[in-house]
Amino acid sequence: TQGQQHEVVRGIADVGLGVARNVVEGDRCSDPRPLRAGERACNRDNVDRVRCRDCRIAANVHALARYAALCQEAGIVPIVEPEVLMDGNHTLERCFDATENTLHALFDEIHRQRVRCEHLVLKASMVISGKECAQQAGAQQVADATVQCLKRTVPAAVPGIVFLSGGQSDEFATAHLNAMNAGGAGLPWPLSFSYGRALQAPALKAW
């Protein structure tokens, strides 16, 4: 909608065709991004633009859950990615609220769509201060807030959680994940990474 910066996944009707093609090609794990066709599809909620947030979160998580259901029907493990952007000047606390709302809505919809949590991978964002926030949270604060948010929202049946770097530097993304795992004894799921930019940036800079 004009004047609103939230984005909604589109093109879900074509996901089944994309999943079927992936099965033929031998894939057994699928990220939603390769299945986008035509429209600019995005499953993101900007923390700083919260007007009409609930309806847009509902639309996005419905599409993500439907995508996951189609993948599982085809024998593919879905990578479910409800990314919350770090753009803006929001605080750590505000990011926590947005992430918690998004994950609650996601797993409610996953349950409604009869998606098996045991057969998916959650690709999550860390709970982090916005890029333009004057007071940046430290590594331990990010780790503690992220783990607390996940404990409140993610079922223990999920076999694993991987993190986006979300535009963080390689040092920060690594430090945050390390702090989570250092104090994460007894967590119901392993925590790992799905970084692209954060791992490639130093090599690209040197090259």
Side-chain angles (χ1 to χ4, degrees), residues 8-21:
V8 177
V9 175
R10 297 181 66 179
I12 197 68
D14 295 328
V15 167
L17 296 176
V19 169
R21 182 173 63 250

Side-chain angles (χ1 to χ4, degrees), residues 60-119:
N60 279 314
V61 299
H62 173 80
L64 281 173
R66 187 69 194 126
Y67 148 79
L70 289 169
C71 285
Q72 290 188 352
E73 288 174 10
I76 288 182
V77 175
I79 301 172
V80 182
E81 183 182 339
E83 183 177 8
V84 176
L85 298 181
M86 61 182 292
D87 299 341
N89 61 0
H90 57 271
T91 63
L92 179 81
E93 293 76 18
R94 195 168 179 186
C95 184
F96 186 103
D97 290 342
T99 305
E100 183 179 26
N101 289 338
T102 300
L103 290 175
H104 268 310
L106 173 65
F107 283 101
D108 284 347
E109 189 62 30
I110 279 176
H111 177 72
R112 278 192 286 270
Q113 294 283 343
R114 298 184 179 180
V115 175
R116 294 187 177 183
C117 288
E118 294 89 344
H119 301 151

Side-chain angles (χ1 to χ4, degrees), residues 31-33 43 79-83 103 120-125 160-164 193-195:
D31 189 305
R33 286 177 294 178
N43 50 4
I79 301 172
V80 182
E81 183 182 339
E83 183 177 8
L103 290 175
L120 65 83
V121 174
L122 176 64
K123 190 173 181 179
S125 304
I161 300 172
V162 296
F163 289 101
L164 297 152
F193 64 88
S194 183
Y195 302 159

Side-chain angles (χ1 to χ4, degrees), residues 18-49:
V19 169
R21 182 173 63 250
N22 288 0
V23 172
V24 171
E25 293 173 355
D27 291 347
R28 284 295 175 265
C29 195
S30 179
D31 189 305
R33 286 177 294 178
L35 301 178
R36 296 174 186 166
E39 298 290 345
R40 181 172 179 263
C42 186
N43 50 4
R44 299 174 175 178
D45 174 46
N46 190 309
V47 179
D48 268 342
R49 292 152 181 162

